[in-house]
Every structure is written in C-alpha cells, then in structure tokens.
Amino acid sequence: MPDIDVGDAAMAGWRLIGRHPLAAIIWGSAMAVLVAVVLLLFGGAIVGAIAAIVASGATPNPPAQVVMGLLGSLFGLIVLLVFGGQILEVVIRAAVLRAELDPGQRGFAYLRFGGQELWLIATSVVFWFVLFAANFAMSIPLAIVSMAGALGAAASTTSNGVPDLGAMTGMLGVRAIGQLVIVAVSVWLWLKLCFGVVLTYRERQFRLFESWAATRGHVLKMFLTLLLVVLMLLAVFLVLGAICLLVAGASVAAVAAGNWQALMQRPPQMIATALAPLAVVVLVMIAVNVSLGNALVWGAVARMWAQLNPDADAPAAFN
C-alpha cells in the first residue's frame, strides 16, 4: 500500500531547486519586482506626505490634503500588494507544482497564467475562507471565556485591593490553551485540504474538498514532513534575516546618523536615496522567502501526493 516517505518528501523542494535553480530565482525575483514597482508608484508620495507631516510637527493638526494624500497612497499600495501579490503567489505555486509533477512543461520558469491558474485562484480563495471561518468560529467561545475570566480575575481582589495573581494566571493559562487549540485545528485543516491544490492543478477543476478523503490516514506523516520543512525554512530565514538586518541597520545608521527626524526633513528624493539600501535588503528577503517557501512547502506537498498516487501519469517527475 502506498505510503509517505517523510524524509524524501521533506527534501523534495531542495531537489527541485537543485534541478531548476534559475526557475527558483525567477519565482522570487518576480515577487520582488512586483513589490518594487508598487513602491515606485506609491513610495514617493508616501515618503513625501510623511516628511510634510514631520515638518509640520509644531502644528496640532497636519493639513488635511497631506493626510488624505498619505491615506490614498497607502490604500493603493496595500490593494496592489495584497491582490497582485496573491495572484502572483498562486501563479508561482502552480509553477512549483508544474516543475515537480510535469517537468517537461518548462516554458519560462514553468510560469503560466491560464485555466489551471484560474482554478487554483478559486481554490485558494475557498481554502483561505475555510481556514478563516474556522478560526473565527473557534475564536468566539475563546473570546467569551477570556472576557469572563478577565472579569472574574478583576473581581477577585485581595484585602489590599490588588488583583488575585492566581486568578490572573489561570485566565492567561486558559487563553493560551485556547490559542494552542485554534492553531492545532488550523494546522490539521490545512493538512486535510492541501492535496486539493494538487488535485485542482492536475484536473483543471475545483477539487479542494476531495483532499479530505485523499489525506485520510496520512495526516501524521504529512505533519512530520511539513514540520521538517518549516524547521529548515526557519533556520535559513534566521541566518539571512540576521545578515540583512545588520546590513540594513548599518546602511541606515550611516545615512541618518541616528537622527530619524533629521532624515525625514530632507527632500523626498534624498530620503528615498538614503533608504535605498534598506529597500534592496527587503526585496532580497522577499525574493528568498517566496522562492524557498513555495519550493519547499508545495514541492513537499506535491511529492507526498505523488508517493500516495504512484500510478499517476507523472512518472518522470522525480529523478
């Protein structure tokens, strides 16, 4: 009976990157370029508005025109980053699945935007909605219990009017346990539904809930596989994050000389130039995060699905 090989599946993403390093670089670079373009469109207006507000620090109320301009630019930036980023994220996810399951369909870094991607967008929206609805439903009783516990702890005072430490600790403990339960259920739901992304990609139809039966009896090994993936990603991101923070901190400190208010009083072009090293570091981190995250997570999911379906018509996917 087919089963999941945890070690093999956990390393699938690394093998995928080794087979297609240029494609992996392009995946992350595409997201970094999107962020850079959005920042170029709205960043100047945002920096200029913030600088104007800082310059009018002695005035209790900044000019309404400046505030509205700042809010409008922030709204445009967030909308384009959220919607554009999510669509590109799905396109990259499809490219990872294609590179793992259909390696012969190379094209440009396995990237496409067609029927498969549109079905994956629909599946991803429903996937996100299910997880959100489950979290929201579980948060309601936790919020009620936490509120009741907080009121009880506040009412449980000592003779000196000091809140009872035991009651406060109990309330915090109940809330912590509740949050852990919500996280555990969310992870379980994600594991139960993740094969739906692979099935939707392969069949070009909405197949999210078919994942429920496909994962039956395999959730523990799927969890162990993705736990290894997350630990590997965490180790890489901690090292890269430390390096990038040091570089960014040194660059900004050298320019601003530790005085952010003086920096914000410069013309917007000078501020943008001063913050360019920080922007480069952020873009590099975005590229690495997107490439590694998608390759390792969805490469592992695709590999687990293939291990459980050895008769599928993708025998050449694994070398």
Side-chain angles (χ1 to χ4, degrees), residues 8-20 100 228-229 232-233 236 292 295-297 299-300:
D8 177 71
M11 296 302 295
W14 292 110
R15 293 195 301 271
L16 187 151
I17 293 173
R19 293 194 302 269
H20 312 291
E100 187 69 12
L228 287 176
V229 168
M232 289 187 287
L233 286 172
V236 172
L292 281 181
L296 267 62
V297 171

Side-chain angles (χ1 to χ4, degrees), residues 28 32 236-245 279-291:
V236 172
F237 292 153
L238 284 176
V239 173
L240 291 178
I243 294 173
C244 290
L245 284 176
V280 171
V281 168
V282 171
L283 292 176
V284 170
M285 285 295 295
I286 289 173
V288 173
N289 176 68
V290 170
S291 290

Side-chain angles (χ1 to χ4, degrees), residues 259-276:
N259 189 341
W260 281 95
Q261 186 173 6
L263 174 65
M264 297 307 296
Q265 290 174 349
R266 299 181 183 183
Q269 293 84 355
M270 293 184 65
I271 297 174
T273 301
L275 296 179

Side-chain angles (χ1 to χ4, degrees), residues 25 28 44 47 97-98 127 144 174-175 178 180 198 209 217 219 225 247 252 255 263 293:
I25 292 172
V47 170
L97 297 177
R98 190 171 289 113
F127 198 164
I144 294 173
V174 169
R175 181 166 184 81
L180 288 175
V198 181
F209 298 112
V219 171
T225 299
V247 172
V252 174
V255 176
L263 174 65

Side-chain angles (χ1 to χ4, degrees), residues 39-76:
L39 289 178
L40 287 174
L41 287 174
F42 296 100
I46 292 173
V47 170
I50 294 175
I53 292 174
V54 172
S56 63
T59 305
N61 298 313
Q65 184 178 0
V66 174
V67 175
M68 292 303 296
L70 175 60
L71 293 176
S73 297
L74 285 173
F75 178 77

Side-chain angles (χ1 to χ4, degrees), residues 135 138-139 142 172-188 223:
N135 274 268
M138 290 184 290
S139 297
L142 178 60
L172 293 175
V174 169
R175 181 166 184 81
I177 293 172
Q179 290 290 352
L180 288 175
V181 170
I182 291 175
V183 170
V185 173
S186 299
V187 170
W188 177 75
F223 172 75

